[in-house]
Amino acid sequence: MKVDSFVRKETYIFLDIEADVVRGKQHIIEIGAVKWLPNDRVEFFSEFIQPYKFKKLNNRIHELTGIHTEDLLSAPPFKQVIKRFKEWTQGNTIFVTFGEFDRKLLEEELLRNRIKRRFIYPIVDFQQKYMIDNQIKVQPSLSDLMAKFDVVAATQHRALDDAISLFQIFKAADGHGMIEKQKTNQFALLLNESHHGENGAEVYFTYVTGEVFPSDIKIHSMDSIHQSLSCIKKEREEVQEDGSIIKTECHEILPSEELAKFLRSIVNDLDRKVLITRSGLRQISRLSRLHQCVFPKTEVMTLQNLLMEPDAVNQFTMNGQTLDTYERKIYKLLFKYKYKLIKEFKRRNLITGQVVKV
């Protein structure tokens, strides 16, 4: 039986935000939202917001959105609008955004105004859900998906119009089915450190798998590898603007079959797991490409965003420890910060079963 054949109990709220830079920081200037109730009834919310000490709208934002300075000067402040928005969103709701920007900006604005953020969770990034479902690496724009699903909007880059477009795309793509299908309690933590020298690089990987429960976590496995990668010196030619050629010496790291085998085992194990890294996949991706390993598109988290404190993230570095000692430390740290991990799983509506309000 298909997921979308079940009776939907949740109310979805499709959210879009327009923002402007005021005094060096992004501030919300418009909120638009569509509420999709279980009985298929649809409601709308749309309001301008006047940022604190606002004077004039950025010309680029005016040209992009069509919003005028006067629209904002006569608008209520954030606290008044968000109070009405919170009342409008009451119920068993799941927020849906397109990309991370709207969630991050709304969280920052609520924090800046000392307003509890609990009511906006769980919140789902549909752009990421769509990329996972279709295993694509390049982020599609809202316009790309509007074209794909024949969604037409009177205007774009206005909060309510974009929220309506997201709602229509969500229905056409069976977004509810995507969300249910991608729910998982499983996670994989992948930590990597590389130390480069003249003769090569010392590379360390630690891979941890586990499971999240409503009030606890369980570690299933932990494996580590240390490889000394050799390098060869190569001469590279660079053509200058005047046509002259400058030769420079560079070092090319050579792959290791043992590390390639380790990385392939991780790639094969990542199905239906949330991948957690220290700060993203950039450094890991360089090594995976070197070893011809392609990571699948999956739900991702970073320790930077989970822990929010550099000192806490730095605890996950090796600092010259042996792999055995490091693994024991990682085990303890995961339990130390387990509630932050559990909270983020709940905030993203990932835990299997009923929707959990955070």
Side-chain angles (χ1 to χ4, degrees), residues 278-311:
R278 181 179 282 106
S279 57
L281 280 168
R282 181 171 295 179
Q283 182 176 346
I284 294 171
S285 294
R286 284 198 291 266
L287 284 166
S288 66
R289 286 195 299 270
L290 174 65
H291 292 85
Q292 298 183 338
C293 294
V294 180
F295 279 77
K297 179 63 184 173
T298 187
E299 189 92 20
V300 293
M301 297 179 185
T302 66
L303 292 176
Q304 279 185 345
N305 289 334
L306 283 172
L307 306 182
M308 300 300 292
E309 296 176 3
D311 289 345

Side-chain angles (χ1 to χ4, degrees), residues 25-264:
K25 291 184 178 180
Q26 291 271 7
H27 285 258
I28 297 174
I29 60 172
E30 186 182 31
I31 291 180
V34 178
K35 184 194 292 183
W36 186 29
L37 295 141
N39 63 4
D40 270 347
R41 195 171 85 243
V42 177
E43 299 176 5
F44 304 97
F45 183 96
S46 178
E47 285 208 37
F48 287 124
I49 293 172
Q50 181 182 166
Y52 181 61
K53 291 187 177 179
F54 171 80
K55 293 182 179 179
K56 187 176 184 298
L57 185 64
N58 182 288
N59 285 334
R60 187 181 67 84
I61 301 299
H62 164 66
E63 292 171 3
L64 184 69
T65 65
I67 297 172
H68 296 271
T69 296
E70 293 72 24
D71 296 324
L72 304 183
L73 289 173
S74 60
F78 178 80
K79 283 187 176 181
Q80 287 184 25
V81 175
I82 209 65
K83 181 182 179 182
R84 289 194 287 270
F85 183 63
K86 183 178 179 181
E87 291 170 354
W88 182 79
T89 63
Q90 288 301 305
N92 186 25
T93 57
I94 300 173
F95 280 74
V96 181
T97 65
F98 192 81
E100 296 181 343
F101 174 79
D102 292 336
R103 170 183 167 172
K104 288 182 177 179
L105 185 55
L106 184 55
E107 287 175 334
E108 289 172 6
E109 196 81 78
L110 290 166
L111 190 64
R112 188 160 50 226
N113 285 273
R114 299 180 180 178
I115 299 170
K116 291 181 179 179
R117 299 175 291 175
R118 187 175 299 175
F119 79 95
I120 68 169
Y121 305 118
I123 188 165
V124 172
D125 177 359
F126 178 72
Q127 185 186 55
Q128 182 164 201
K129 295 294 182 188
Y130 183 85
M131 292 174 69
I132 294 168
D133 196 66
N134 292 275
Q135 283 300 298
I136 56 177
K137 298 294 179 73
V138 179
Q139 290 184 340
S141 67
L142 190 67
S143 298
D144 291 336
L145 296 192
M146 287 173 67
K148 178 177 175 62
F149 292 104
D150 296 323
V151 172
V152 179
T155 59
Q156 285 185 263
H157 304 299
R158 287 297 301 272
L160 182 57
D161 291 315
D162 285 352
I164 291 171
S165 296
L166 175 57
F167 166 52
Q168 293 174 334
I169 291 166
F170 186 89
K171 286 200 301 179
D174 185 21
H176 176 67
M178 283 185 197
I179 289 172
E180 292 299 312
K181 184 169 60 176
Q182 292 179 28
K183 282 185 176 182
T184 180
N185 292 7
Q186 307 293 319
F187 70 87
L189 172 65
L190 182 58
L191 299 169
N192 162 245
E193 291 187 33
S194 300
H195 305 286
H196 295 267
E198 287 187 7
N199 299 318
E202 300 299 315
V203 177
Y204 302 84
F205 274 98
T206 294
Y207 180 66
V208 187
T209 64
E211 191 169 356
V212 168
F213 299 97
S215 59
D216 205 355
I217 65 169
K218 182 178 180 180
I219 306 300
H220 293 319
S221 67
M222 188 179 304
D223 297 293
S224 298
I225 189 172
H226 167 218
Q227 287 285 284
S228 298
L229 302 185
S230 302
C231 72
I232 56 173
K233 292 182 180 179
K234 282 194 169 183
E235 201 173 64
R236 183 170 57 195
E237 294 183 349
E238 293 183 3
V239 180
Q240 304 301 298
E241 290 184 1
D242 61 1
S244 62
I245 296 176
I246 294 180
K247 295 182 178 181
T248 57
E249 192 177 80
C250 63
H251 295 79
E252 183 178 299
I253 300 293
L254 300 176
S256 151
E257 181 53 40
E258 190 174 347
L259 183 52
K261 183 179 178 181
F262 185 83
L263 291 172
R264 283 196 295 268

Side-chain angles (χ1 to χ4, degrees), residues 8-21:
R8 178 171 56 89
K9 298 178 181 179
E10 304 85 6
T11 293
Y12 282 104
I13 294 178
F14 302 90
L15 174 69
D16 190 81
I17 285 170
E18 300 301 332
D20 189 19
V21 176

